[in-house]
Amino acid sequence: MKCDLSGKVSLVTGAARGIGQAIADRLAANGSHVVYTDVNSAELKAAAARIPNARAFPMDVTRGDEINAVIEQVVKTSGRLDILVNNAGVNTLAHRVPIDQFPREEWDRILAVDLTGVYEVSRCAARVMRAQGAGRIINIASIAGLVPLRLQCPFVAAKAGVVNLTRAMALELGPHGILVNGIAPGSTLTEGTRQLFYGEGGTFREHVQRMLDHVPLGRPGTTDEIAVAALFLADPENSYMNGHILTVDGGWTAGYTRDF
């Protein structure tokens, strides 16, 4: 897929690896000047160094001062911010347990990044986009925000919050020329899911086929398949989609998959 993002300035959070890096790479390949941000500064610099004219700024989405400083620097040097992709997110590898056993500190950590982080970055970016009368905000949610999954209540709650936050932002910002949409990926092949499911020695490796039996395509998605969806939402010709959650899950949430 190709579109013309020439002259557009994009900022992607969580861009050091995985889905965020794939999205940032796609935007850059289509002409955008991309700002890679991530809390992991070493991997961030390596990711951005591969892309001509890309910039890298270490940024923690739970730190309002860092967010403000980065966006101020982007506007100072580029004069604008056209596309924001809120991709930064965390989950837990250690605590796949029912709510009565889930540690409060893990709840706070996940909600702070996955939901409050979206709010914090969007709030700052929206001020810039409002002033320029145009912009795109793309929030990476999850199918877990549409159909709850067991044993990860904070992730489910955070991503459900992202889904409706996206819709609320679309209502508020649409009149100012800012389109806000989201993507709900299904199980996607990343370093995190390799540790959980798909890699040798993954925590839940023995259950992976049971999970994939619910996916009509029978496999996890790739990060680039999610990036294509983000590029579609960023495309200037896609000018009337607002408040939509684009599901990219191989058909997982289309219905109850069964073999009888």
Side-chain angles (χ1 to χ4, degrees), residues 74-151:
V74 170
V75 174
K76 180 180 179 180
T77 56
S78 300
R80 59 189 303 106
L81 175 60
D82 300 288
I83 300 164
L84 166 65
V85 182
N86 282 307
N87 166 77
V90 296
N91 202 345
T92 179
L93 300 177
H95 302 285
R96 291 297 176 102
V97 293
I99 189 169
D100 58 299
Q101 300 171 36
F102 209 99
R104 172 60 190 269
E105 60 271 17
E106 273 291 87
W107 170 279
D108 290 342
R109 181 182 72 90
I110 292 169
L111 267 289
V113 176
D114 291 6
L115 181 56
T116 307
V118 175
Y119 154 77
E120 289 282 12
V121 183
S122 297
R123 180 172 67 150
C124 191
R127 293 172 182 151
V128 176
M129 294 177 179
R130 217 191 238 253
Q132 65 196 24
R136 303 289 177 96
I137 298 177
I138 302 167
N139 296 327
I140 306 302
S142 167
I143 60 162
L146 303 172
V147 180
L149 306 178
R150 295 180 64 247
L151 307 182

Side-chain angles (χ1 to χ4, degrees), residues 46-69:
R50 301 156 36 252
I51 306 300
N53 301 317
R55 287 178 289 168
F57 289 97
M59 188 178 83
D60 184 340
V61 299
T62 69
R63 294 285 305 273
D65 56 339
E66 291 187 14
I67 296 165
N68 288 327

Side-chain angles (χ1 to χ4, degrees), residues 197-251:
F197 300 110
Y198 301 116
E200 293 298 328
T203 306
F204 302 108
R205 173 75 178 177
E206 69 274 17
H207 302 305
V208 70
Q209 191 55 52
R210 288 170 57 191
M211 181 176 72
L212 290 177
D213 284 344
H214 292 280
V215 181
L217 295 190
R219 63 171 178 84
T222 68
T223 56
D224 199 52
E225 286 171 321
I226 311 305
V228 168
L231 183 63
F232 169 66
L233 294 176
D235 190 337
E237 293 190 3
N238 183 10
S239 56
Y240 201 61
M241 184 176 285
N242 190 37
H244 181 70
I245 306 298
L246 186 57
T247 305
V248 187
D249 68 350

